[in-house]
Amino acid sequence: MRTLIFPFLLWIFVGSLATQLPVMAQTPTGQQTNAQQTQVIRGRITDAESNAPIPGITVTVLLENSARRGAVSDRSGAFKVSGVPLGRQTVKISGLGYQEQTIPEVQVSAGKETVLDVTMTEKVVKMADVSVNYDRSAEKINTVNEYASVSSRAFNIEDTKKYAGSLGDPSRMAQNFAGVVGANDSRNDIVVRGNSPAGMLWQLEGLNIPNPNHYAAIGTTGGPVSMLNNNILDKSDFFSGAFPAQYGNAFAGAFDLRLRNGNNEKTEFLGQIGFNGFELGAEGPLSKESGASYIVNYRYSTLGLFKALGVNFGTGSAVPNYQDATFKLNLPIGENARFTVFGVGGMSDIQFLGNDADTTKANFYGDENQNGLSKFKTGIAGASYETNLSQQTFVKFTLGASATEQFFHGDSIDVRTRIAYPSRDVLFTTQKYSAVGQIRHKFDSQNSLAAGFTVDRQQFHLFDKSIVNAGKIDRVHVNIEDGATLTQGYAQWKHRFSDQLSVVLGAHAQQYSLGSSFVVEPRTSVQYMISDNQTVSLGYGLHSQAQNIYNYFIESKMSDGSILTTNKNMGFTRSHHLVLGYDWTFAENWRIKAEAYYQSLFGIPISLAKPTFSLINSGNSFDPTSEPNLVNEGTARNIGLELTLERFFNDGFYLLFTGSLFDSKYKGSDGVERNTAFNSQYVVNALAGKEFKLGNNVLALSLKVSTTGGRYLTPLDFAASSQIQNAVYDESRAFSERQTPYFRMDAKIAYRIEFGSSTMEFSVDLQNVTNNKNVFLQSYNRRTNSIGTQYQQAFFPVPTFRYTF
């Protein structure tokens, strides 16, 4: 590892020097050309607290040689700056009574207009002769949610395109943030501060949504491929602890994602081929007079093509098939209201045949002694109405529906005859109907209030059975058709004592019909600017989450032959979050952020019959946990320190370094403290990139190095496994054996060509360029009667082509 760190640092140093070297565009005859292509920057400016449009705001694009282009927002908050040269530009936004903002390195390309939706914060003290210093990178890192003070980060979708290893996936992009670890290379589950991935919340346009990934197993929040299309996502928020009161039913973290509006003045198209699929997109005006617009994207899997080229991506002889579509309609109603309709849908399937498995290559999802056919479907749709009742009050109502289907049939293959016998049948279907309401009111420049409610009514049919003894004996794990309702409400008040000091007080309440659970959770935070470039913050929150619906209805056979669902009265898993943060912008474009946190979890379902079992260790696999007789008596705790060093994109160079030290422990019914399944104890990410401007074209390089501590696992009991010809784990040594540390280096090379009114981009993402063998898991092989080690993804090149026009 040391031999790789030095060239990485040297590469950063050379990249920094390269920002000083001029690049001259030339004609084919060798003469220098001054031809310049231009594009439009436009958007809308609103008040951060009330969401009301702000007229009279000056928007200025700062060009080279002190040149400027600008515009002033109209009464609807809209602005438009024409004739902006292509490339990275800096946009300054200012207005009387509001804190000035500077947005650096805004990407302007020929194939697409640049649209900025900007929120501005009113000054507490309004003095025409007072100059307010503002962090030039603040708009990039500030969250959309104005009530977030700690453990929060704006999720800039542009980063998913340029960062090595992200593959355009929001979850894989988030793995670069402090305190976040990927579960494994085969899936995009994220582990936040040692918590189970199942503790995450996904929101889309304000709706609580099911797992937005292909091959999304029940009770999980990740999968191999994201269904979320980064070409249609807008700036969004990511929270890793002590999140604001409006987010509930989660104890680990939250994604609050938004879909962007389509271009309401010009029709634009997108074509893309990459790891995530063959993709076509379109956006444009439905009515130029009203400003109505549409945006739609469709994607179909390309992994079949990689397979034909001989590239092994961890699925053996099987080929994953998937497709998805995303759309949004934006329909303004007058000057102060709008109606939107949006949706995301996808389906996926894969078949594994054990007798066709190549036993010499890695296979994350299959087994040579099993057959498996899996099919998944997910659909999400919603419609919302929002309006400004006045300059101070904003309301929004959303109705939504979602549905999921998961089918699986498995066979067990006799190791001697290679005959297949049925071994598992699964069918899970869910339907959810949601109503969401929110109101925001700004009393004055110092006081604002936000409140709202969410009602989710879920219907489900769950069936899961195992078949043993050569297909002769059935064991039903779950067989239920039922429904449940989760009701949530919140209120939060923000008071700004001055431009430097603010306090947020809030409360969240939720009630779940299963287990008749009801809780009220306090949330609070304080933020203080020590100086123009230093901020300290403190946040506390109590957070709760209902269990996976599968676990409530696991069947347990009693001694008299009767069947009981012993988990039906489980309550919430609950967690106290305490976070102390420090943020220092120590130089232009450079920032350091440090956070210390403590998390105390209680009410975790554990088993009295199996002393080491805790549901806190589940949530990152395709197979649900079928443990009966659970009680909410388990505890856990996470403690850690995080550091972020960031150089924001400037002069073509950027850097992100994150490091985390943490410890994650739990207690089962025996009261013994053990490592959790996600306690890797440390994670370090170093990511840097450089763009070289070649005339109007751009060559981009990006490099990422990641290392994490090895996770703890429960060792296999070889003697017991050999006796019953199936994997048996030594539970007396639960999570006591540590894997070797994880190390991976990714690199990305991209080239962007600007034509007259279109843009073409080529890139190659080189994953695990050192071909390091990271341990995935240990498994028992019935055919060879041995314990083998499976490794994670080997070197894997991912080419991408993108064309916008």
Side-chain angles (χ1 to χ4, degrees), residues 591-603:
R591 172 194 184 219
I592 285 180
K593 182 179 181 180
E595 284 195 334
Y597 64 87
Y598 180 77
Q599 185 182 6
S600 175
L601 297 97
F602 60 102

Side-chain angles (χ1 to χ4, degrees), residues 8-9 11-12 16 163 589-591 644-650 653-657 685-689 703:
F8 179 79
L9 295 175
W11 185 80
I12 293 172
S16 298
Y163 282 7
N589 302 308
W590 285 92
R591 172 194 184 219
T644 299
L645 170 64
E646 186 165 13
R647 184 191 193 273
F648 297 104
F649 200 111
N650 183 259
F653 181 69
Y654 61 90
L655 167 71
L656 177 65
F657 174 89
N685 293 304
L687 188 149
L703 184 68

Side-chain angles (χ1 to χ4, degrees), residues 1 11 31 159 166 176 210 226 240 253 274 277 289 303 316 329 339 420 472 481 638 645 673 677 694 728:
M1 176 180 171
W11 185 80
Q31 295 178 329
D159 293 341
S166 295
N176 294 296
S226 176
S240 56
E289 182 178 350
L303 293 185
L329 306 179
F339 181 72
K472 297 177 183 178
E481 187 170 355
N638 299 315
L645 170 64
E673 189 174 68
L694 309 174
V728 177

